Amino acid sequence: MIEWVSMMSTCFLYVSLLLGGFIIAIALVVIALIVLRKLVNELSTHIRLGRMFREYLANRTKYLYWNSLQRESEDE
């Protein structure tokens, strides 16, 4: 009888440790997904800002180029 109770308590201990491990693993995966999503959102924001800045520089360069051409034609 005592051996049976000891075996059942050991089995219960292993099952609870296993379930606790699964719960902790699921929680870690959820936390990792949340962090990854935030990082991806920030990265896409930086990429979008970088693209906007490149477009601004390209437009500014075209503007300065056309301005210099107009000034040259006015000087002549």
Side-chain angles (χ1 to χ4, degrees):
M1 181 71 178
I2 294 176
E3 292 176 8
W4 184 79
V5 171
S6 174
M7 187 176 67
M8 288 302 288
S9 63
T10 304
C11 181
F12 178 73
L13 176 68
Y14 287 143
V15 168
S16 33
L17 284 175
L18 189 64
L19 286 175
F22 278 139
I23 291 172
I24 290 173
I26 290 172
L28 287 175
V29 167
V30 168
I31 290 171
L33 288 175
I34 291 171
V35 168
L36 186 64
R37 182 177 173 198
K38 287 189 178 194
L39 286 175
V40 166
N41 284 343
E42 285 199 22
L43 184 62
S44 66
T45 301
H46 285 301
I47 290 171
R48 195 176 321 120
L49 287 176
R51 191 179 308 127
M52 288 170 58
F53 184 66
R54 255 185 320 209
E55 289 174 5
Y56 165 76
L57 285 180
N59 290 336
R60 181 78 180 146
T61 305
K62 289 177 193 172
Y63 170 76
L64 291 174
Y65 174 71
W66 287 113
N67 252 4
S68 67
L69 286 179
Q70 286 176 351
R71 268 193 243 119
E72 285 179 8
S73 66
E74 288 174 0
D75 289 343
E76 292 175 354

